[in-house]
Amino acid sequence: MTEVECLTATTPTKMLRFYQRNTSRRKQLLAACNMCRRVWHIIPKECLRGRYDPNRYYQAIEVVERYVEGHATQDEVRALSLGTGGDFACDAVAVANGLAEWEDGLVTVSVWTSASMAPDTETIFIPWWEDSGPPGLQQSAEQASQCQLLRDMVGNPFRPTTFDPAWRSNRVMQLARQMYETRVFSRMPDLNRALRDAGCREDTVRIHCSEAMEHYRGCWVLDGLLQKDIQAM
C-alpha cells in the first residue's frame, strides 16, 4: 500500500492487509470492535430474525474492549467467544458471525471487515459482496467510513509523529482521558487549543483535532498523548 492509497482509499481491502501486518494487537482489536459498534443500533432487529440474544453480541465486543485495557481476563473473553480454537480475542470480536445469518448489508460488511482486521486471521480480505453481487450505496458508504475509521486510529503510518512530553499538560491530559473513556469526542477542538497552549506546533496533530470527522477509541492522537500503545496488554 502506498501513502496516497492510505490517505485516499474508499474501500478498506488494502488498508486491512497493511494494518494487520503493521499495527499493534491492541489497535487491531479496537478497530474490529469499533467497526462492530458502527452497527450497534441494527443488532437487535437482526438478532430477532434468528431468535438470538443481542446481549451476546454486545457483551462479546465489550469484553474484548475491557481486555484490551487490562480489565478483563483471557478466560472472560473465551467465555463469550465462538470457541473455534483460534485466537480467543479474535473469536469474541467475530461472535457476530455465529449469531445469525445477517440480512442487513451494513451488519454484513461490519462482520467481514472486523473479522479481517482482528489479529491472527488470514491477511486476505474477502469482499462481502462476492457472493451477493456488487455493494449498494449504503454498503459502499460504510466501507468509506471504515477507511476513515482506520485513518483516525492509525494516522499516516508513512509519516509517524513523535509526541513531545511537553505537550502533556494537565489540561491536555484531562481532555484526552475524558474523551478516551467516554467515547464522546466533541471536545477535540478544546484539545486543539490546549495543545496550542502547551506549545504543540505539529500540524498533523493540530489538524486532526480540528477536522470535522468522526473519532473513535484508539484515535492516534489520543493514543499518542496517553501513551496507550507502549503499554503492554
Side-chain angles (χ1 to χ4, degrees):
M1 187 178 71
T2 66
E3 182 177 7
V4 171
E5 288 173 326
C6 172
L7 298 177
T8 62
T10 56
T11 57
T13 307
K14 285 188 175 180
M15 296 177 77
L16 289 166
R17 291 172 179 161
F18 182 82
Y19 289 153
Q20 192 191 56
R21 296 192 301 268
N22 295 282
T23 57
S24 68
R25 174 176 167 80
R26 171 188 167 274
K27 192 75 81 171
Q28 291 163 2
L29 288 173
L30 275 180
C33 289
N34 284 335
M35 287 172 185
C36 290
R37 278 185 174 273
R38 285 188 54 80
V39 294
W40 214 240
H41 60 292
I42 304 173
I43 297 304
K45 178 183 69 175
E46 288 295 285
C47 283
L48 185 62
R49 289 176 178 150
R51 297 183 180 178
Y52 290 95
D53 181 3
N55 288 325
R56 170 79 187 279
Y57 179 93
Y58 296 139
Q59 289 167 3
I61 302 308
E62 288 167 349
V63 76
V64 174
E65 291 171 335
R66 290 193 291 110
Y67 169 72
V68 163
E69 302 297 334
H71 302 316
T73 66
Q74 292 186 10
D75 287 343
E76 288 178 282
V77 178
R78 286 194 179 95
L80 287 167
S81 73
L82 293 177
T84 65
D87 179 271
F88 66 93
C90 175
D91 270 359
V93 171
V95 71
N97 286 298
L99 289 179
E101 292 296 325
W102 302 114
E103 294 182 22
D104 191 291
L106 295 186
V107 176
T108 308
V109 76
S110 168
V111 168
W112 274 114
T113 312
S114 64
S116 298
M117 188 67 212
D120 299 330
T121 58
E122 291 295 327
T123 56
I124 299 173
F125 175 63
I126 304 172
W128 74 273
W129 62 85
E130 278 192 356
D131 295 328
S132 55
L137 292 177
Q138 277 191 309
Q139 290 78 18
S140 295
E142 180 62 17
Q143 288 196 312
S145 295
Q146 289 173 344
C147 292
Q148 285 294 87
L149 182 157
L150 293 172
R151 282 189 278 269
D152 177 64
M153 295 189 67
V154 182
N156 183 350
F158 295 89
R159 300 174 191 268
T161 299
T162 299
F163 284 75
D164 188 333
W167 301 346
R168 297 186 179 101
S169 67
N170 290 339
R171 178 62 171 162
V172 165
M173 298 305 287
Q174 177 189 32
L175 289 166
R177 289 191 190 99
Q178 180 185 60
M179 287 186 285
Y180 186 90
E181 291 168 4
T182 63
R183 286 195 179 87
V184 177
F185 301 98
S186 57
R187 304 200 69 182
M188 289 297 281
D190 293 336
L191 179 62
N192 181 31
R193 288 187 285 273
L195 283 164
R196 177 200 61 197
D197 294 343
C200 175
R201 298 295 180 266
E202 177 62 51
D203 286 345
T204 54
V205 172
R206 299 281 305 281
I207 290 171
H208 189 74
C209 292
S210 59
E211 282 182 320
M213 64 179 294
E214 193 165 357
H215 296 277
Y216 300 85
R217 178 171 290 180
C219 162
W220 70 270
V221 169
L222 298 184
D223 273 7
L225 291 169
L226 298 172
Q227 299 177 282
K228 284 290 183 180
D229 263 349
I230 66 173
Q231 299 170 6
M233 261 178 42

